[in-house]
Amino acid sequence: MNRHHRLACSTLALLAGHALAAPLVFVSSEKDNALTLIDAATLTVQGTLPTCKRPRHMQLAPDGKRLLVACGESHAADVIDLATRKSVGRLALGDDPEAFDISPDGKTLFVSNEDEGTLSFIDIARGQKRASVAVGKEPEGVKVSPDGKTVYVTSEVASLVHAIDIASAKVVKNIQVGKRPRRMAISADGAELWVTNELDASVSIVSTQDHKLLHTLRFEVPGARAADITPVGIAMTRDGRRAFVGLGRANHVAFIDVRARKVTQLVLAGKRAWNVSLDKAEARLYVVNGLSDDMTVIDVAAAKALKTVPVGRVPYQAVVVE
Amino acid sequence: MRPCATFATFATLALLALGTCLLPVSAATLRATLIVPADDARLERTRLERAYLGHPGGPAHAGVQVALDEAKFELDAAGAGVAFDPIGAASLEAARAAAQQAEKAGAAALLTDLPADWTRAVAEAVKLPVLNIGNAADALRQADCRANLWHLLPSERMRADALAQALVARKWSNVLMLTGPSASDATRGAVAEAALKRYGLKLVAAKPFKLSADPRERDLANPLLLTGGAAYDVVWVVDSEGEFARALPYRTALPRPVVGDAGLTALAWHAQFERFGAPQVVRRFAKATQRPMTAHDWAAWMAGRALVAAALAAPKGPAAAWAKALTGSELDGSKGVAMSFRAWDGQLRQPLLLTDGQGVIGSAPIDGILHPRNALDTLGADAPEKLCRARS
C-alpha cells in the first residue's frame, strides 16, 4: 500500500467513524491504565483512552451512554461518557475490585473485592456501599439473575459459587463447582447458570431453581492436554441457544450448542484466549488474548477468525459499543 | 512428647499450640501435627535477614496457617474442620516420638520440616501420611523413599532440571561449575551435573570453591581466578550456604551469567510472581506474617491446602478417607495448572519459577520441552527410572 492510498483509507475510516458512528470496541488491559479503541468496521486501532489503574471488567451502564470500568488498583470504577469518550467521574468500589454486574433496575452494582474476599453492593446513584457479604477467597465472576433477586459470585480459591439473596444480603447456598471457577452466564430462560472452571477444563451447569449441579461439560482440544485447557470467558447469545467459551492456554474458543450441551466448533484464537464478547448482532465474537497482547475477531457464522488486532499489555476484556 | 506441654520456650509455637488445645475439636475435625526442629539454625535471625534464595524465610507453620485461615469459609460451608499444631523436636528420636504420639492422639496426617534422616525416621515410625514441606533431598524421593511419605517442596533434581531446561532454551550450552565444600554441596553438585548430562549440556570444567581471604588459597577463593582460563557460556554455582554465590555475579573473568544458587535460580515460588492469582496469595501471606512469601512458605501453604482439600472431600472423615483424599486430589497452587502427587515417588508435580531474586524471569518446564504424558514430569525423576523401590 503506497502512502497516498493509505492516507485515502484512513480519511475514509475517519469519515465513516463520524458520519455513521461505526461500532467501537473498547478493550481494557491490566497493565496499561488505558483502554484501546478499535474501529469494528476496519478492525484497526483508533487510539487509546486513559483510565484508572489496572482496568479489568467493563460493562455498559443501563442507559447505554456510559461505560463503567472496574480498576483494581484505583479501588473504583471509571465512568466514561461514550459520546465524548471522556472520563466523567469515579464510582468507589472498595478494595481491589475485579468484576461486577448491575441489577436489572440499574440501581445497584455488585462487585467482587478480590483481596478482601467480599461481594459489595454499591448504590450507583449515591456512590455508596450498601452492603458487603463475606465469601470465599479471591472472588471473581459476578452475575445477577434476570429477576434481580439473586446474585452469584465465584470464589477461585474455594471452588464455590455463592448464591446470594439480594434483599437480605445473605448467602443462601454455596454451590460446589470445578476447580478455580471464573466467569458465569445465565441461560435465556433464566433456568441455568453456566460457570467456567479454569483448572478443570470444564463448565459447570447449575440449576437456578434449586442450585444443584445439573451437568459438567468437559472440553477437549485435539493436540492439547487437559491441563492446558483453562476456560475463563463465557458469552451466550440472547436466544440462549449458543455459548462461547475462551479456553485459555489451549488458545481456542469453544462454540457450544447450549441445549445439547455439546461443543460444535473449536476456533483458533491467540495465546491464552481469555474473555469473550459478542456484538449486538451476535455476528462477531471478540476474544482477548492474555499472553499475546492482542484480540482475535471471530466471524460467528463461519466460525473463523477474521483478524487479530494488537491491543494493550495483558488485555482483559472487550466491550462493543454500537 | 505431648503437643501442649513441651516447648514453652518457643513463644510463637507455644502460643499456637495453646490456641489449638483450647479450641473444642469435634470428631469430624481433621487434625494434623507439624514437626519442626526445636532449635532451627536456618531460622536464626541473622540467617533470615540475609534472605538467600531457596532458603526458608521464617517458620513453616505460617504458610500452613494462612492456608487454613483462607479456607475458613468453605470449611464452614461444608461442615468440615481442620486443626493443626506445631511441635518442636530437639533430636531425631524426639521427632520420631512426637510422630508416634501424634498418631496415637488421632492425628490424620503429619507435616514435617526436618533434616532428611529425621524425616525418614518419622515416616518409618507411623502409618499416617507424612507431608514433607521443607526438605529437597532427592534421597527422600529415591533410595530412602517411603510409601507414606509425600513431598510438597520440589526436589533438588527438579530445580536442577528446570535450570538445565532454561540453559537449553537459551543455547547456553557450555557450563563452568563451581561447587562448595560442604557435603550438601557435593550431593547437589552431582545432581546438577546429572541434569547437564540429561539435557545435553557440556560441562567445560568443574572446580571447588572455598570462602577464604588467605592468599595461599586464592585459587579456591578468588572469583577471577576460579572463572578464568576457560571458555564457557554460563557459570553454575552450587553453594548450599549462600554467601559465596551471592557475591559471584559480575565478578566472573568473562562477562557471563551466573545460575544455580545465585544469579538465575529455580524455585517453587517467588513473591514477585504476577500470574494466576499469585499476587493475592502473596498479599494474604504478607498481611498475616509481615514478610514476603518464599518457596518454603509456598510448600507449607500447599500442605495446608492439601489438608483443606482432604477435609472438604470427606467432611465427616473417617481417617482413611482423609488419607486417601490428602494425596489423591488435584491441588490449585496459583501456578496456573492443577497439580497432583506422582505415584512413583510421592513428589508433587509442579511448575518452577526462574528468578534472579528481583522478579520472575520465566518458568519451567520450558515451552517446547515435551513429555509423553505430562510436561511437568520432565522436572525430577520420572516413572520408568523406578528409583523408589518402596513405591514400585
Side-chain angles (χ1 to χ4, degrees), chain B residues 58-87:
Chain B
H61 65 74
V64 184
Q65 194 60 51
V66 168
L68 301 190
D69 289 347
E70 71 191 18
K72 195 179 173 311
F73 192 100
E74 63 252 53
L75 287 170
D76 288 353
V82 179
F84 101 106
D85 47 349
I87 296 186

Tab-separated table of all heavy atoms in Angstrom, chain B residues 58-87:
chain	number	residue	atom	x	y	z
B	58	GLY	N	11.174	-18.039	57.164
B	58	GLY	CA	10.605	-17.966	58.508
B	58	GLY	C	10.022	-19.315	58.868
B	58	GLY	O	10.160	-20.266	58.103
B	59	PRO	N	9.388	-19.406	60.046
B	59	PRO	CA	8.869	-20.709	60.488
B	59	PRO	C	7.808	-21.268	59.541
B	59	PRO	O	7.036	-20.520	58.941
B	59	PRO	CB	8.278	-20.420	61.868
B	59	PRO	CG	8.164	-18.946	61.963
B	59	PRO	CD	9.160	-18.345	61.024
B	60	ALA	N	7.771	-22.590	59.433
B	60	ALA	CA	6.919	-23.261	58.456
B	60	ALA	C	5.437	-23.175	58.800
B	60	ALA	O	4.594	-23.266	57.914
B	60	ALA	CB	7.339	-24.727	58.327
B	61	HIS	N	5.129	-22.994	60.102
B	61	HIS	CA	3.706	-23.040	60.458
B	61	HIS	C	2.925	-21.901	59.831
B	61	HIS	O	1.719	-21.995	59.629
B	61	HIS	CB	3.527	-23.070	61.984
B	61	HIS	CG	3.997	-21.832	62.683
B	61	HIS	ND1	3.307	-20.647	62.636
B	61	HIS	CD2	5.103	-21.585	63.427
B	61	HIS	CE1	3.966	-19.733	63.343
B	61	HIS	NE2	5.059	-20.280	63.818
B	62	ALA	N	3.622	-20.789	59.494
B	62	ALA	CA	2.922	-19.617	58.971
B	62	ALA	C	2.156	-19.937	57.689
B	62	ALA	O	0.985	-19.586	57.540
B	62	ALA	CB	3.925	-18.489	58.725
B	63	GLY	N	2.828	-20.625	56.773
B	63	GLY	CA	2.178	-20.941	55.499
B	63	GLY	C	0.977	-21.854	55.673
B	63	GLY	O	-0.061	-21.662	55.046
B	64	VAL	N	1.129	-22.845	56.559
B	64	VAL	CA	0.013	-23.769	56.812
B	64	VAL	C	-1.169	-22.979	57.369
B	64	VAL	O	-2.314	-23.122	56.927
B	64	VAL	CB	0.422	-24.872	57.821
B	64	VAL	CG1	-0.706	-25.866	57.996
B	64	VAL	CG2	1.695	-25.576	57.369
B	65	GLN	N	-0.871	-22.101	58.328
B	65	GLN	CA	-1.936	-21.345	58.987
B	65	GLN	C	-2.664	-20.439	57.985
B	65	GLN	O	-3.885	-20.325	58.022
B	65	GLN	CB	-1.333	-20.507	60.133
B	65	GLN	CG	-2.370	-19.947	61.088
B	65	GLN	CD	-3.185	-21.054	61.760
B	65	GLN	OE1	-2.632	-21.991	62.317
B	65	GLN	NE2	-4.512	-20.957	61.686
B	66	VAL	N	-1.909	-19.801	57.092
B	66	VAL	CA	-2.543	-18.925	56.093
B	66	VAL	C	-3.514	-19.738	55.235
B	66	VAL	O	-4.638	-19.315	54.966
B	66	VAL	CB	-1.480	-18.221	55.217
B	66	VAL	CG1	-2.115	-17.542	54.008
B	66	VAL	CG2	-0.713	-17.191	56.041
B	67	ALA	N	-3.095	-20.933	54.846
B	67	ALA	CA	-3.970	-21.781	54.016
B	67	ALA	C	-5.239	-22.153	54.767
B	67	ALA	O	-6.336	-22.152	54.200
B	67	ALA	CB	-3.220	-23.042	53.586
B	68	LEU	N	-5.106	-22.462	56.058
B	68	LEU	CA	-6.282	-22.852	56.838
B	68	LEU	C	-7.199	-21.648	57.062
B	68	LEU	O	-8.417	-21.748	56.951
B	68	LEU	CB	-5.869	-23.461	58.186
B	68	LEU	CG	-4.978	-24.711	58.127
B	68	LEU	CD1	-4.861	-25.349	59.498
B	68	LEU	CD2	-5.503	-25.732	57.123
B	69	ASP	N	-6.604	-20.495	57.354
B	69	ASP	CA	-7.417	-19.297	57.589
B	69	ASP	C	-8.203	-18.902	56.344
B	69	ASP	O	-9.366	-18.536	56.419
B	69	ASP	CB	-6.515	-18.126	58.017
B	69	ASP	CG	-5.973	-18.316	59.425
B	69	ASP	OD1	-6.484	-19.210	60.128
B	69	ASP	OD2	-5.036	-17.589	59.804
B	70	GLU	N	-7.554	-18.972	55.191
B	70	GLU	CA	-8.243	-18.514	53.991
B	70	GLU	C	-9.323	-19.492	53.539
B	70	GLU	O	-10.164	-19.162	52.730
B	70	GLU	CB	-7.249	-18.228	52.862
B	70	GLU	CG	-6.623	-19.465	52.260
B	70	GLU	CD	-5.457	-19.139	51.325
B	70	GLU	OE1	-4.920	-18.018	51.399
B	70	GLU	OE2	-5.110	-20.017	50.532
B	71	ALA	N	-9.294	-20.724	54.087
B	71	ALA	CA	-10.285	-21.725	53.696
B	71	ALA	C	-11.458	-21.780	54.666
B	71	ALA	O	-12.347	-22.607	54.512
B	71	ALA	CB	-9.626	-23.099	53.612
B	72	LYS	N	-11.456	-20.883	55.640
B	72	LYS	CA	-12.471	-20.947	56.695
B	72	LYS	C	-13.880	-20.984	56.098
B	72	LYS	O	-14.732	-21.760	56.521
B	72	LYS	CB	-12.306	-19.737	57.612
B	72	LYS	CG	-13.054	-19.895	58.907
B	72	LYS	CD	-12.878	-18.716	59.826
B	72	LYS	CE	-13.778	-18.826	61.050
B	72	LYS	NZ	-15.164	-19.141	60.780
B	73	PHE	N	-14.086	-20.145	55.089
B	73	PHE	CA	-15.436	-20.045	54.517
B	73	PHE	C	-15.917	-21.376	53.965
B	73	PHE	O	-16.996	-21.844	54.310
B	73	PHE	CB	-15.451	-18.982	53.407
B	73	PHE	CG	-16.836	-18.625	52.978
B	73	PHE	CD1	-17.453	-17.478	53.451
B	73	PHE	CD2	-17.539	-19.442	52.103
B	73	PHE	CE1	-18.744	-17.160	53.075
B	73	PHE	CE2	-18.828	-19.129	51.721
B	73	PHE	CZ	-19.434	-17.984	52.203
B	74	GLU	N	-15.081	-21.999	53.126
B	74	GLU	CA	-15.575	-23.245	52.521
B	74	GLU	C	-15.604	-24.406	53.506
B	74	GLU	O	-16.433	-25.298	53.392
B	74	GLU	CB	-14.814	-23.599	51.248
B	74	GLU	CG	-13.346	-23.889	51.418
B	74	GLU	CD	-12.484	-22.777	50.872
B	74	GLU	OE1	-12.689	-21.603	51.263
B	74	GLU	OE2	-11.588	-23.060	50.056
B	75	LEU	N	-14.698	-24.366	54.500
B	75	LEU	CA	-14.741	-25.415	55.525
B	75	LEU	C	-16.035	-25.307	56.329
B	75	LEU	O	-16.737	-26.298	56.542
B	75	LEU	CB	-13.523	-25.304	56.451
B	75	LEU	CG	-12.180	-25.739	55.852
B	75	LEU	CD1	-11.030	-25.362	56.776
B	75	LEU	CD2	-12.152	-27.237	55.569
B	76	ASP	N	-16.364	-24.092	56.742
B	76	ASP	CA	-17.612	-23.873	57.478
B	76	ASP	C	-18.805	-24.297	56.637
B	76	ASP	O	-19.725	-24.954	57.120
B	76	ASP	CB	-17.751	-22.393	57.858
B	76	ASP	CG	-16.782	-21.998	58.971
B	76	ASP	OD1	-16.130	-22.910	59.517
B	76	ASP	OD2	-16.672	-20.799	59.280
B	77	ALA	N	-18.769	-23.898	55.350
B	77	ALA	CA	-19.897	-24.197	54.466
B	77	ALA	C	-20.110	-25.704	54.340
B	77	ALA	O	-21.229	-26.173	54.222
B	77	ALA	CB	-19.669	-23.567	53.096
B	78	ALA	N	-19.017	-26.460	54.372
B	78	ALA	CA	-19.123	-27.911	54.191
B	78	ALA	C	-19.277	-28.634	55.532
B	78	ALA	O	-19.394	-29.854	55.572
B	78	ALA	CB	-17.891	-28.432	53.457
B	79	GLY	N	-19.257	-27.892	56.625
B	79	GLY	CA	-19.318	-28.511	57.943
B	79	GLY	C	-18.068	-29.318	58.250
B	79	GLY	O	-18.098	-30.306	58.974
B	80	ALA	N	-16.948	-28.871	57.677
B	80	ALA	CA	-15.680	-29.578	57.889
B	80	ALA	C	-14.763	-28.712	58.744
B	80	ALA	O	-14.983	-27.514	58.896
B	80	ALA	CB	-15.016	-29.883	56.550
B	81	GLY	N	-13.742	-29.334	59.305
B	81	GLY	CA	-12.796	-28.575	60.106
B	81	GLY	C	-11.398	-29.144	59.994
B	81	GLY	O	-11.223	-30.346	59.794
B	82	VAL	N	-10.407	-28.259	60.093
B	82	VAL	CA	-9.013	-28.700	60.102
B	82	VAL	C	-8.326	-28.015	61.274
B	82	VAL	O	-8.486	-26.808	61.459
B	82	VAL	CB	-8.278	-28.321	58.792
B	82	VAL	CG1	-6.822	-28.771	58.859
B	82	VAL	CG2	-8.956	-28.927	57.575
B	83	ALA	N	-7.591	-28.772	62.061
B	83	ALA	CA	-6.807	-28.169	63.138
B	83	ALA	C	-5.378	-28.675	63.003
B	83	ALA	O	-5.162	-29.816	62.604
B	83	ALA	CB	-7.378	-28.584	64.488
B	84	PHE	N	-4.424	-27.817	63.307
B	84	PHE	CA	-3.054	-28.323	63.275
B	84	PHE	C	-2.254	-27.711	64.403
B	84	PHE	O	-2.525	-26.591	64.846
B	84	PHE	CB	-2.422	-28.083	61.900
B	84	PHE	CG	-1.504	-26.915	61.817
B	84	PHE	CD1	-0.131	-27.090	61.743
B	84	PHE	CD2	-2.002	-25.620	61.796
B	84	PHE	CE1	0.723	-26.008	61.651
B	84	PHE	CE2	-1.156	-24.538	61.696
B	84	PHE	CZ	0.211	-24.735	61.628
B	85	ASP	N	-1.307	-28.463	64.918
B	85	ASP	CA	-0.445	-27.890	65.937
B	85	ASP	C	1.007	-28.199	65.611
B	85	ASP	O	1.344	-29.304	65.189
B	85	ASP	CB	-0.806	-28.379	67.335
B	85	ASP	CG	-0.993	-29.875	67.409
B	85	ASP	OD1	-1.049	-30.504	66.332
B	85	ASP	OD2	-1.052	-30.409	68.501
B	86	PRO	N	1.857	-27.201	65.766
B	86	PRO	CA	3.279	-27.407	65.516
B	86	PRO	C	3.979	-27.903	66.775
B	86	PRO	O	3.653	-27.495	67.874
B	86	PRO	CB	3.777	-26.004	65.153
B	86	PRO	CG	2.674	-25.053	65.471
B	86	PRO	CD	1.548	-25.792	66.088
B	87	ILE	N	4.933	-28.795	66.577
B	87	ILE	CA	5.716	-29.323	67.688
B	87	ILE	C	7.190	-29.174	67.360
B	87	ILE	O	7.607	-29.494	66.245
B	87	ILE	CB	5.430	-30.827	67.881
B	87	ILE	CG1	3.980	-31.034	68.279
B	87	ILE	CG2	6.345	-31.424	68.935
B	87	ILE	CD1	3.687	-32.466	68.630
